[in-house]
Amino acid sequence: MMILSGDPPRSRVLSILLVVIILALAATPFLFPGAKAMNVAAQICIFAALVASYDLLLGYTGSVSFAHTMFYGIGSYAIAIALYSMGPVWAAVATGIAVGLPLAALLALAIGLFSLRVAAIFFAMVTLAVASAFQVLASQLSWLTGGEDGRSFQLPELLRPGTVLISKSLIGFELNGRVLTYYLVLIAAATMILCLLRVVNSPFGRVLQAIRENRFRAEALGFRTVFHLTYANCIAALVAAGAGMLNALWLRYAGPDTSLSFTIMLDILLMVVIGGMGTIYGAIIGASIFILAQNYLQALMGAASKAAADAGLPLLPGLLHPDRWLLWLGLLFIASVYFFPTGVVGRLRGAGSAKH
Amino acid sequence: MALTLETRDLTIRFGGHVAVNGVSCTFKPGELTAIVGPNGAGKTTYFNLISGQLRPTAGTIFFDGADITQLSAPLRTRAGLGRAFQLTNLFPNLSVEENVRLAVQAANGTHYDMLRPWMVRRDLIARADEILDRVALGNRRQVTATALSHGDQRKLEVALMIALEPKVFMFDEPTAGMSIDEVPVVLNLIAQLKQDASKIILLVEHKMDVVRSLADRIIVLHNGQLVADGKPAEVIASPIVQEAYLGVAPGRSAA
Ligand SMILES: Nc1ncnc2c1ncn2[C@@H]1O[C@H](COP(=O)(O)OP(=O)(O)OP(=O)(O)O)[C@@H](O)[C@H]1O
Ligand SMILES: [Mg+2]
């Protein structure tokens, strides 16, 4: 299976889970019509790619970066600003990509060469500082970025919801510009994840794992580790920016809350830990669980609370009240980290093969 | 000019303590030099200075006609300086095969190839397996490095250096802590490497019988200083070694 770069899921349950997720994502436009389901599915795709790129850093090289949302934001804003100022044309999309990706890569290169020479904590601190500065910059340059309001824009004709490509009468559901955008997001995210899977399983990726294990020894073998770590940082930044571009295209908007805030950074960390670090597949699982919980836990609890009240149970209706959903989400994370310290993927692989 | 390794007035100070003190010495191909001296004499520190893990306070290192004093550790390795560490220094959670494969990959110059899956490079894997057979670890390929016995870890440490195909081999007490029946594997390997007259071999070793059987030359470090240098028989017999290293009062022989 060279498309998986010789790194299959290595667990039957995990394989099934992944197939189910991918099929569900692919079939969302016909299975679950309606804006909400497609929004959730698109979010899962975008975050799976974003989290996978973070896993390249955290899971494979062991470096902690706080600048990941910055790169995500650079991608988002590049698309948004280009389409906002040039109008809804494909040339604007191309410009956004042509400006956003190199910008993200160069910034990652500079941060890496400057801070990855020394102890890992320095890199963490530098990324934190740069990301904070970038956030301030983005809100200050409001003539460019729209400040706190962000930038809304129109998509090119082909991608608009109003563009009907195949009518409902012909194939049973409407293939419109929105559905097309969704598939663009899905395919782009899947491609990026497969590329990351290739990178981590390449000779280069193997050196990253060696550096995580024992950087001193990797140097003694003749690997100039600062370059490996820096290139990994650049690749992660490129994919994060790519995910940011998909996010902007999907939302037709880029703003501080949807693309730059540290809340997103925290979400990424949680998703990578829940899914399982150093596996890439963990990103897909982590993003799916997290985003589904974020979107449907409240509704689920509402129903459960009502059912409990109807059944006349004491205490439960209050505990399950939808307003407590954040508490339950928190408990869910604590439990998952406690019971699956190696993440869902690590757990499933561990159960599947005694060898590991 | 033939390959040489030379340190000139090499010195390193840790605070007030001079761990290596003005050591000048030249090493030639086809010669196995044993470096002996009591604990804390500065032998490992001397190695660290040569292979680039430490920078000297003063002095110069020449290798193959070039001044390498300012070169980083990875670049010295690429220049041909191979090092096996005294304190076993491996990739603990990677398999034995992967440990060696990484060293083979480094020697092969495959540093940044990110487009192909690693298992496509069968040549690297085959070479790693060949080296594992040489150090008698062929049946432990898939075990993680931490799961190995101490003796096997020492062998893996040596395997990583051999995989680098260096011009200079630096062994730092390769058999320390090994059980009696494991020692010959490593000693035979060193003897085998000696057959190649183009290599420089440096061996830090406490066991005098090993030194006697393998070394062409012995240098003695004491308190960071080079106090003796010569043919094994002469050096071992010299009063300074009898006293400083073997702890025997001068005049009595240590047979
Ligand atoms: N990084 C360091 N910082 C401070 N002191 C050091 C450092 N490395 C070594 N030393 C000191 O330098 C001296 C020489 O140590 P070294 O490890 O080179 O001795 P050695 O000859 O290899 O001894 P052994 O036979 O025990 O391996 C010791 O006193 C040691 O404590
Ligand atoms: Mg030592």
Side-chain angles (χ1 to χ4, degrees):
Chain A
M1 287 283 273
M2 274 305 108
I3 192 168
L4 300 180
S5 306
D7 182 17
R10 296 208 312 276
S11 146
R12 170 126 23 107
V13 182
L14 178 60
S15 307
I16 294 169
L17 211 56
L18 287 167
V19 168
V20 168
I21 291 172
I22 291 161
L23 286 181
L25 288 174
T28 297
F30 0 100
L31 285 188
F32 317 104
K36 166 103 180 185
M38 254 206 323
N39 266 329
V40 171
Q43 284 271 303
I44 291 177
C45 297
I46 292 164
F47 269 88
L50 181 62
V51 172
S53 69
Y54 195 70
D55 192 25
L56 171 65
L57 283 184
L58 186 66
Y60 285 86
T61 74
S63 16
V64 177
S65 165
F66 292 105
H68 222 57
T69 40
M70 174 177 81
F71 297 118
Y72 186 61
I74 287 176
S76 294
Y77 274 105
I79 287 288
I81 293 169
L83 278 154
Y84 177 83
S85 51
M86 294 170 67
V89 289
W90 286 103
V93 177
T95 307
I97 294 171
V99 172
L101 291 183
L103 187 65
L106 282 176
L107 202 53
L109 186 74
I111 293 176
L113 289 178
F114 173 68
S115 64
L116 283 166
R117 282 181 191 283
V118 277
I121 185 71
F122 186 57
F123 174 69
M125 277 157 30
V126 168
T127 56
L128 189 59
V130 173
S132 310
F134 191 83
Q135 235 178 2
V136 174
L137 195 73
S139 78
Q140 295 288 304
L141 298 176
S142 51
W143 57 271
L144 183 69
T145 61
E148 293 303 315
D149 296 335
R151 281 280 183 244
S152 300
F153 57 88
Q154 287 261 300
L155 286 176
E157 185 79 47
L158 183 66
L159 299 180
R160 287 185 204 161
T163 309
V164 177
L165 299 160
I166 303 174
S167 72
K168 189 162 182 164
S169 56
L170 219 60
I171 53 169
F173 72 98
E174 187 181 277
L175 184 59
N176 57 28
R178 190 74 177 150
V179 174
L180 193 67
T181 312
Y182 174 76
Y183 281 113
L184 186 81
V185 168
L186 176 66
I187 289 166
T191 308
M192 288 194 287
I193 291 171
L194 288 175
C195 285
L196 285 169
L197 200 58
R198 173 57 57 94
V199 168
V200 301
N201 286 295
S202 68
F204 168 79
R206 290 262 145 173
V207 179
L208 295 182
Q209 299 183 52
I211 295 170
R212 177 193 65 197
E213 288 285 307
N214 187 348
R215 184 172 181 178
F216 175 87
R217 185 47 148 164
E219 291 254 320
L221 288 184
F223 293 117
R224 297 216 271 173
T225 58
V226 63
F227 293 109
H228 290 88
L229 292 176
T230 301
Y231 297 159
N233 195 35
C234 290
I235 295 166
L238 279 172
V239 174
M245 291 173 177
L246 297 179
N247 179 50
L249 285 174
W250 181 253
L251 296 176
R252 286 161 287 174
Y253 167 78
D257 290 341
T258 59
S259 59
L260 275 181
S261 91
F262 276 109
T263 321
I264 301 177
M265 196 61 243
L266 215 61
D267 291 351
I268 296 174
L269 267 168
L270 282 170
M271 286 185 243
V272 88
V273 170
I274 291 169
M277 281 192 278
T279 62
I280 297 293
Y281 292 109
I284 303 172
I285 305 285
S288 303
I289 294 176
F290 188 93
I291 288 165
L292 285 176
Q294 221 178 21
N295 283 281
Y296 295 112
L297 191 62
Q298 214 172 354
L300 201 71
M301 282 174 55
S305 169
K306 197 160 171 302
D310 290 347
L313 294 170
L315 215 59
L316 266 181
L319 274 177
L320 292 174
H321 192 275
D323 285 352
R324 312 244 185 295
W325 80 282
L326 263 175
L327 173 76
W328 284 101
L329 195 64
L331 287 176
L332 207 67
F333 293 143
I334 293 170
S336 87
V337 172
Y338 185 81
F339 290 111
F340 310 130
T342 51
V344 175
V345 171
R347 177 66 187 224
L348 289 176
R349 280 182 171 170
S353 67
K355 214 173 70 184
H356 246 59
Chain B
M1 199 182 89
L3 174 85
T4 56
L5 173 66
E6 181 188 356
T7 69
R8 214 175 279 171
D9 298 321
L10 203 62
T11 302
I12 189 168
R13 232 180 286 270
F14 296 115
H17 178 66
V18 188
V20 171
N21 194 351
V23 175
S24 296
C25 196
T26 305
F27 305 99
K28 294 195 187 65
E31 193 177 63
L32 189 151
T33 308
I35 301 172
V36 301
N39 291 117
K43 305 178 297 290
T44 299
T45 308
Y46 187 50
F47 268 12
N48 281 336
L49 289 170
I50 294 174
S51 57
Q53 276 77 29
L54 290 172
R55 290 299 152 87
T57 317
T60 337
I61 307 163
F62 295 94
F63 179 55
D64 222 354
D67 180 346
I68 60 162
T69 318
Q70 296 310 321
L71 225 54
S72 68
L75 291 181
R76 290 192 206 190
T77 303
R78 291 192 204 179
L81 293 164
R83 173 84 189 270
F85 292 89
Q86 177 179 6
L87 298 175
T88 303
N89 205 329
L90 305 163
F91 303 109
N93 299 309
L94 304 184
S95 74
V96 169
E97 185 182 62
E98 179 63 6
N99 267 270
V100 182
R101 201 200 57 80
L102 279 160
V104 172
Q105 186 186 319
N108 185 269
T110 309
H111 295 273
Y112 305 111
D113 178 0
M114 49 182 91
L115 299 180
R116 283 176 294 179
W118 64 274
M119 56 270 273
V120 169
R121 293 297 303 272
R122 298 218 176 276
D123 54 328
L124 303 182
I125 302 170
R127 174 87 183 118
D129 288 345
E130 190 186 307
I131 292 161
L132 283 173
D133 286 335
R134 276 180 75 184
V135 296
L137 284 176
N139 54 349
R140 320 253 24 213
R141 278 178 195 141
Q142 301 310 325
V143 178
T144 55
T146 33
L148 290 180
S149 69
H150 173 79
D152 282 347
Q153 288 188 347
R154 299 299 297 149
K155 287 191 223 157
L156 184 54
E157 180 69 41
V158 169
L160 291 192
M161 173 165 66
I162 292 178
L164 291 174
E165 299 176 47
K167 296 173 184 158
V168 178
F169 292 86
M170 292 190 264
F171 293 92
D172 198 346
E173 303 192 26
T175 63
M178 270 191 175
S179 65
I180 310 270
D181 50 314
E182 288 174 315
V183 172
V185 176
V186 174
L187 296 186
N188 288 338
L189 201 74
I190 298 175
Q192 240 178 59
L193 293 173
K194 248 187 88 168
Q195 305 289 310
D196 184 345
S198 69
K199 307 291 186 190
I200 296 172
I201 303 176
L202 308 184
L203 169 68
V204 172
E205 184 57 74
H206 280 295
K207 299 185 190 94
M208 271 304 146
D209 51 329
V210 171
V211 170
R212 230 181 244 118
S213 72
L214 283 174
D216 302 307
R217 171 190 179 194
I218 297 179
I219 63 173
V220 183
L221 288 183
H222 186 58
N223 284 333
Q225 281 175 312
L226 192 122
V227 294
D229 178 355
K231 293 245 173 295
E234 296 165 23
V235 173
I236 291 172
S238 69
I240 191 156
V241 170
Q242 297 287 315
E243 186 181 16
Y245 182 58
L246 299 173
V248 179
R252 278 171 52 196
S253 93

